[in-house]
Amino acid sequence: MTHAAPVSPVDRAGLRQRIDKALTEFLASQRAWMAGVDDALAPLAEAIEVFVLGGGKRLRPAFAYWGFRGAGGVDTDQVVTALAALEFVQASALIHDDLMDRSDTRRGEPAVHRRFAARHRAAGWGGDPDGFGDAAAILLGDLSLVWSDELLHSAGLDPHTVARARPVFDAMRTEVTVGQYLDVLTQVTGDTSVERAGKVARYKSAKYTVERPLLLGAALADAAVEVRTAYSAYGLPLGEAFQLRDDVLGVFGDPAQTGKPAGDDLREGKRTYLVAAALETTDGAGRELLLGGLGDPGLDETGVARLRELIDGSGALARTEQRIGMLTDTALAALAAVDLDTEARQALVDLAIAATRRAD
């Protein structure tokens, strides 16, 4: 029960292919509608297709699906289509996040705001190319959030079933939005506490990556209270562990696997648990060096390497890895304490391992 299975839980039951099929069909219908409005909307349709269909781990629909199955839900294509709506919430969050962080790339491709700024320059249009790119990214992120609603409601589920899931879906989208604000606020206030870093991680990523998708699946299955309680006890620590792994990769990850330049989190000034832990145990010149490099968009590879060495030497990397392990163990213990469908339980165990040991 502690080793990932040969077949990823995202691929079992044909899940990834079914999610991609639902997304492809929905996006094709939206492209057709947009074409009827104006031919100038074609690049917008293409951009969201590339973003949503061109990458993504599909972890959130997978947690929701296996949460649904674990609670006794009967598999249907309508359920899978409804859960695919989570990919549009994710797209919205990432498009806006890249804009706020002024990131150049996402999944090895130009970030959406960079993509549209480049289009502006190539066309020789008037005005500021970067301003146009920013506006397009804001609107495309908003459109993705709108489409998450539309896909959930148009999936073909019984209205009463959708109504049960609606409060979870709404809470999730509210939480990730306020979590993003807390992240932005933390960067400008310079709050370096571990407590603040933990809260940002919990609301910006942890809850909407694992706990809320699980509870969404549970709501669709009309799960018992004890199942929903166990899902929260599993999902919250696991979601935090997922975000901590993301924080580690943001500093120490291989760009060939993460799709983002090495050290991007440092250039963006992210006050993550990893950074907060380093600042707790570093003083003098080391602390000054770390604070001086955080948020410096001109930080070069040598500067990134120097900060990596400092963070590692402070014990913060080891401390973060230890916390990832502890949180994962806590999550798995909560899962073991509730009666679930056997296949779904194993899938959720394997998802926990995949989410916390990933390299991208």
Side-chain angles (χ1 to χ4, degrees):
M1 293 282 284
T2 59
H3 299 286
V7 179
S8 164
V10 181
D11 294 311
R12 290 175 212 165
L15 187 56
R16 188 190 303 273
Q17 292 82 0
R18 294 165 70 193
I19 292 166
D20 287 350
K21 181 175 182 288
L23 293 171
T24 299
E25 290 176 352
F26 179 81
L27 286 167
S29 71
Q30 298 296 55
R31 175 187 273 270
W33 181 87
M34 292 165 80
V37 175
D38 198 300
D39 290 343
L41 294 176
L44 203 66
E46 179 185 357
I48 191 63
E49 286 169 357
V50 169
F51 196 92
V52 172
L53 301 177
K57 304 174 187 66
R58 308 298 188 236
L59 280 177
R60 290 161 185 83
F63 276 115
Y65 173 82
W66 290 112
F68 172 80
R69 289 280 306 277
V74 177
D75 185 2
T76 67
D77 287 340
Q78 289 80 9
V79 167
V80 172
T81 298
L83 298 179
L86 291 166
E87 287 299 304
F88 284 113
V89 180
Q90 170 73 340
S92 176
L94 293 181
I95 291 168
H96 285 161
D97 191 51
D98 286 344
L99 172 60
M100 288 183 282
D101 291 339
R102 311 310 304 177
S103 298
D104 291 327
T105 60
R106 169 67 63 178
R107 298 169 182 160
E109 298 291 332
V112 167
H113 60 287
R114 301 297 190 206
R115 178 188 182 100
F116 280 91
R119 180 175 179 80
H120 183 291
R121 290 188 182 92
W125 293 332
D128 176 24
D130 290 330
F132 175 78
D134 291 356
I138 291 169
L139 294 169
L140 200 58
D142 289 348
L143 190 60
S144 297
L145 201 59
V146 170
W147 284 354
S148 72
D149 243 350
E150 188 173 339
L151 186 54
L152 176 66
H153 283 279
S154 65
L157 295 177
D158 177 84
H160 295 293
T161 301
V162 175
R164 279 201 310 269
R166 182 83 238 184
V168 178
F169 196 67
D170 290 342
M172 175 189 66
R173 296 187 303 167
T174 297
E175 286 164 353
V176 70
T177 302
V178 300
Q180 278 280 26
Y181 175 76
L182 288 176
D183 186 29
V184 172
L185 180 66
T186 300
Q187 290 182 55
V188 298
T189 60
D191 189 334
T192 59
S193 68
V194 169
E195 290 76 17
R196 170 59 71 173
K199 179 173 285 188
V200 170
R202 188 157 56 251
Y203 282 92
K204 180 186 173 183
S205 180
K207 290 174 76 66
Y208 108 101
T209 297
V210 185
E211 186 203 17
R212 290 301 182 185
L214 282 167
L215 293 178
L216 181 66
L220 291 177
D222 199 14
V225 173
E226 58 267 25
V227 172
R228 287 183 272 127
T229 300
Y231 280 171
S232 286
Y234 161 86
L236 278 172
L238 184 60
E240 186 178 344
F242 174 90
Q243 181 57 46
L244 292 179
R245 173 60 61 211
D246 211 46
D247 295 342
V248 170
L249 292 173
V251 175
F252 294 95
D254 179 357
Q257 293 183 286
T258 64
K260 300 196 77 175
D264 244 19
D265 279 7
L266 298 173
R267 296 186 188 91
E268 292 161 10
K270 298 285 187 184
R271 260 58 178 182
T272 63
Y273 179 93
L274 179 69
V275 168
L279 288 169
E280 271 194 351
T281 56
T282 304
D283 53 21
R287 183 181 177 86
E288 186 177 337
L289 176 65
L290 182 52
L291 289 174
L294 277 177
D296 178 5
L299 192 66
D300 59 16
E301 290 185 12
T302 301
V304 169
R306 189 178 298 119
L307 294 187
R308 279 175 165 173
E309 185 179 351
L310 190 154
I311 292 169
D312 189 9
S314 73
L317 178 58
R319 179 177 169 186
T320 303
E321 291 289 357
Q322 183 180 31
R323 182 160 178 79
I324 289 171
M326 181 199 72
L327 289 166
T328 304
D329 288 345
T330 299
L332 293 176
L335 197 65
V338 65
D339 184 28
L340 298 175
D341 170 84
T342 302
E343 182 184 9
R345 181 193 302 278
Q346 186 61 54
L348 290 172
V349 169
D350 295 339
L351 276 171
I353 303 304
T356 56
R357 294 185 184 174
R358 62 200 168 87
D360 62 0

